[in-house]
Amino acid sequence: MVRRHPAGKEQGATLMVWLVALGITAVFLWLLSDVIWQGGQAVNGAFLTQAPAKAGLEGGIAPILVSTGLVLGVCIGVSLPLGLGTAVFLTEFSPQRSHRVIRLSLDILAGVPSIVFGLFGNAFFSRVLGLGFSILSGGLTLACMVLPILIRSIQVGLVNVPREYRQAAAALGLSRLGTLKTLILPAALPGIAVGILLGIGRAIAETAALIFTSGYVDRMPTSLLDSGRVLSIHIFDLAMNIPGGEQNAYGTALVLVILLIVINTLVSWFAERFRQSKLQIL
């Protein structure tokens, strides 16, 4: 009986990993090229600065961009402090024996379909709190959606900080809060950045939850209590409900993809820059 050499198995596994990676990359590039090819014809200065006209068949997406930015701002402004504080408390100050139940609960919440969050947001934020169909309702609903992902990602980042950092800080007489502020959080910034990016990625592309909370209105919002249509809902409406709206739907999708790439690049750059500056000071 001939035994296969371990090196051959490693090479086979490496080849499979590369094939899967290349396949995923090829699919992504195909989708991206299709969006660029179809949507590039619609995107111009007027498309980005004008309001929609004739149900989106003409005009641009300026109010939709503003509504998307406001909804995303509310979402991150609420979820980031809560997520960071919860992750820090669970990792640094709470008993370890309670973590299994909390982790399981967060994982279950992260897997709940977005339509369920939409129905919850409509029932609680829109009706019970009286916010109606508004940007604030949509942003708070998205905050509930991204909190489990944000907490778990930040937890992983904090846990991966070497234990020696904490021991060295304790030996130097630093308080726990001082250690957390000057050493642990800067070292955990890559994990925090990953959580923010995952949260933004889910929030900015969300459709189902926002249909029931932020609404369909495509006019320029004047406050957080106004209804506002986000990019994902605009794409859905043009593609599914408006005959002949496919080209503007592709153009809006291209703007959404570009926005995601820009946000991801900026968050990663700022996180790495801040982490390096903090560690150099130390």
Side-chain angles (χ1 to χ4, degrees), residues 197-278:
L197 293 178
L198 290 174
I200 290 175
R202 184 170 189 188
I204 200 172
E206 183 52 50
T207 303
L210 294 178
I211 290 176
F212 295 98
T213 51
S214 65
Y216 265 90
V217 176
D218 60 2
R219 65 174 179 267
M220 183 68 72
T222 57
S223 74
L224 295 180
L225 295 178
D226 283 349
S227 177
R229 179 187 294 197
V230 298
L231 289 169
S232 57
I233 291 180
H234 192 58
I235 295 169
F236 170 79
D237 191 47
L238 286 173
M240 301 300 295
N241 302 326
I242 308 299
E246 290 80 7
Q247 185 172 359
N248 281 350
Y250 269 109
T252 308
L254 178 58
V255 172
L256 180 60
V257 171
I258 293 173
L259 194 59
L260 273 172
I261 293 173
V262 170
I263 291 174
N264 287 0
T265 303
L266 288 177
V267 170
S268 300
W269 183 79
F270 278 118
E272 184 61 24
R273 187 77 177 269
F274 182 78
R275 186 179 75 88
Q276 291 294 340
S277 63
K278 276 288 188 180

Side-chain angles (χ1 to χ4, degrees), residues 65-271:
L65 283 173
V66 174
S67 297
T68 301
L70 291 175
V71 169
L72 190 61
V74 172
C75 170
I76 299 301
V78 172
S79 63
L80 183 57
L82 287 175
L84 182 59
T86 303
V88 168
F89 176 77
L90 291 175
T91 306
E92 303 293 328
F93 299 101
S94 70
Q96 293 293 322
R97 61 179 178 273
S98 64
H99 286 191
R100 180 175 297 179
V101 176
I102 295 174
R103 284 198 299 267
L104 179 61
S105 301
L106 291 173
D107 291 340
I108 292 174
L109 284 174
V112 171
S114 59
I115 190 70
V116 177
F117 282 102
L119 294 174
F120 165 77
N122 179 268
F124 183 69
F125 296 120
S126 299
R127 298 184 181 182
V128 175
L129 298 185
L131 299 177
F133 284 91
S134 65
I135 290 171
L136 191 57
S137 293
L140 292 174
T141 302
L142 290 185
C144 295
M145 285 182 57
V146 305
L147 259 176
I149 301 173
L150 197 59
I151 293 171
R152 292 291 284 128
S153 299
I154 297 176
Q155 268 191 295
V156 171
L158 291 171
V159 169
N160 287 336
V161 175
R163 184 176 297 273
E164 288 78 8
Y165 284 23
R166 297 173 175 83
Q167 294 173 345
L172 293 173
L174 290 176
S175 65
R176 296 185 70 178
L177 288 177
T179 303
L180 182 67
K181 179 182 177 181
T182 60
L183 193 61
I184 304 301
L185 287 180
L189 264 179
I192 297 174
V194 168
I196 295 174
L197 293 178
L198 290 174
I200 290 175
R202 184 170 189 188
I204 200 172
E206 183 52 50
T207 303
L210 294 178
I211 290 176
F212 295 98
T213 51
S214 65
Y216 265 90
V217 176
D218 60 2
R219 65 174 179 267
M220 183 68 72
T222 57
S223 74
L224 295 180
L225 295 178
D226 283 349
S227 177
R229 179 187 294 197
V230 298
L231 289 169
S232 57
I233 291 180
H234 192 58
I235 295 169
F236 170 79
D237 191 47
L238 286 173
M240 301 300 295
N241 302 326
I242 308 299
E246 290 80 7
Q247 185 172 359
N248 281 350
Y250 269 109
T252 308
L254 178 58
V255 172
L256 180 60
V257 171
I258 293 173
L259 194 59
L260 273 172
I261 293 173
V262 170
I263 291 174
N264 287 0
T265 303
L266 288 177
V267 170
S268 300
W269 183 79
F270 278 118

Side-chain angles (χ1 to χ4, degrees), residues 53-69:
K54 295 184 178 179
L57 290 175
E58 297 180 5
I61 58 170
I64 286 95
L65 283 173
V66 174
S67 297
T68 301

